[in-house]
Amino acid sequence: MVVGRKMVKEEWRFKANNEVHAAASLTMRNILELIMGNIDVTQTGKPMIHLGHGDPSVYPCFRTSPVVEDALVEAIRSANFNCYATGAGIDPARRAIAEYLSRDIPYTLKTDDVLLTVGAEHAIHVLLTVLAYPGANILFPRPNYPTYEARARFSSLEVRHFDLLPEKGWEVDLDGVKRLADDKTVAIVLINPGNPSGSVFTYEHMQKIAETARELGILVIADEVYAHQVFGEKPFIPMGVFGAIAPVVTIGTLSKRWIVPGWRFGWIAVTDPVGVLHKTGIVSSLKSCLVISAEPPTVIQGAIPRILKSTPESFFVNINKLLKEAADMFYERLKEIPLLACPHKPEGSMFVLVKLNLSGFYDVVDDTDFCMKLAKEESMILLPGDAVGLKNWLRVSFAAEPKVLEDAIGRLKAFCLRHAKHY
């Protein structure tokens, strides 16, 4: 570079952070955007169907309750929530969440047991940041929600994966957990109801998980983003029920049960009646981490008490009814599609895992190739199983209107028949 008549060597001491790129490549958002890049509706003549993520809010039948909308408007118009909030969140919202969660556990949470976050993603980031120290390791399920993997790239935590067993309704392989853990293991992550599996754990199985965590001396991170969104024979049981056996921190959100994922409002609840997490300094570390990060908008915090108190039960019943009908229909119709199999009917959340029989395709290399070709030929988005740790599987969201789901099944069947060896 020339400045006046003097040559200046162009040399800078900063550079791109490749770890950011590596972490981003693991996220669901990045993977779905790559797949969406293959869609050209002008070529297929078909509108896009997106079953790659759990956001049914785009469909009128899944619209949130008017109570939720009114509560936010009321909070805005009151002018009481235009201020800054403390790092842990405003007390009325924290107290309302503590009361809401206490309905389902055998002890009472206090306001101070609840910390507010910018959705579950923020909660995951805070928890992994606090638990990380050089040499420590954490146990993640396989399959897993991709954000855990991405966030772990930015910490000193070593990740170890235990299996969920499809032949046992995606239960935790507890023997595998015991083999993986050592004296540097700090926590185990459980997602119930399951994302991406659509499973729901039984009371008995969850008690065994808690007893295993106690035996290993580790805490349980209970990801309950889909709490109460169950529609099979098993009821939803919060992991906090077993907090007296092993310490539990619970992640929750408004996003899924209230169908407002764009609000990005969540919480971390310390469901630990014995007080282990206070004694070991984990709770104070969580609060310190929140002080140096963002907090949810105060207007949403201000709306929380009314949302939790006044949303009619009929709203939740209807949402679960829609999800059950969609899950039943998808599971039954999937049997008509060659080379796809579903080993376990979904019982909760918004997802189902589908296994590919790759040997039956003549030109599909793996699950990612399947999703790329499906997007190009059918304008349809699914998430490849590789993104959740299961190569050559698919994660499908069935949270859509019936006519959209019918169309999606038709496109999926046509694609499989077109690419199968013997059809």
Side-chain angles (χ1 to χ4, degrees), residues 377-393:
E377 297 176 24
E378 297 290 345
S379 296
M380 181 171 161
I381 306 296
L382 301 181
L383 185 71
D386 193 41
V388 299
L390 279 187
K391 189 71 176 173
N392 297 328
W393 289 68

Side-chain angles (χ1 to χ4, degrees), residues 35-190:
I35 293 171
M36 288 176 68
N38 289 271
I39 288 183
D40 184 351
V41 296
T42 62
Q43 293 294 318
T44 64
K46 301 175 181 179
M48 185 180 74
I49 296 178
H50 200 326
L51 302 183
H53 61 191
D55 185 2
S57 65
V58 297
Y59 303 109
C61 65
F62 282 100
R63 182 169 177 170
T64 193
S65 168
V67 169
V68 177
E69 298 167 347
D70 292 344
L72 182 59
V73 171
E74 182 181 288
I76 293 169
R77 288 181 172 166
S78 74
N80 292 329
F81 304 103
N82 296 331
C83 54
Y84 287 120
T86 60
I90 63 175
D91 281 355
R94 297 168 68 197
R95 183 163 52 251
I97 293 167
E99 292 172 356
Y100 167 73
L101 296 176
S102 295
R103 300 174 195 168
D104 299 315
I105 55 179
Y107 50 93
T108 301
L109 296 178
K110 303 183 297 295
T111 299
D112 202 45
D113 292 324
V114 175
L115 313 172
L116 306 187
T117 63
V118 187
E121 308 259 340
H122 182 208
I124 292 167
H125 171 69
V126 169
L127 283 164
L128 296 193
T129 299
V130 164
L131 291 172
Y133 68 85
N137 66 74
I138 189 167
L139 308 181
F140 286 168
R142 181 171 46 220
N144 190 22
Y145 179 60
T147 293
Y148 285 98
E149 312 289 341
R151 290 294 185 185
R153 288 294 298 252
F154 285 109
S155 75
S156 55
L157 282 170
E158 175 196 347
V159 173
R160 299 181 181 182
H161 293 95
F162 61 91
D163 289 324
L164 303 181
L165 306 171
E167 68 276 11
K168 293 187 176 180
W170 300 104
E171 285 190 349
V172 173
D173 177 4
L174 291 173
D175 290 334
V177 167
K178 293 175 183 178
R179 287 193 296 269
L180 286 173
D182 59 22
D183 61 355
K184 298 293 186 182
T185 305
V186 293
I188 181 172
V189 171
L190 299 173

Side-chain angles (χ1 to χ4, degrees), residues 5 38 63 72 126 136 211 225 252 261 275 279 294 320 356 370 384 389-390 421:
R5 295 182 178 179
N38 289 271
R63 182 169 177 170
L72 182 59
V126 169
E211 290 168 349
V225 168
K279 295 170 187 173
N320 283 358
L356 290 174
F370 181 100
L390 279 187
K421 288 178 180 176

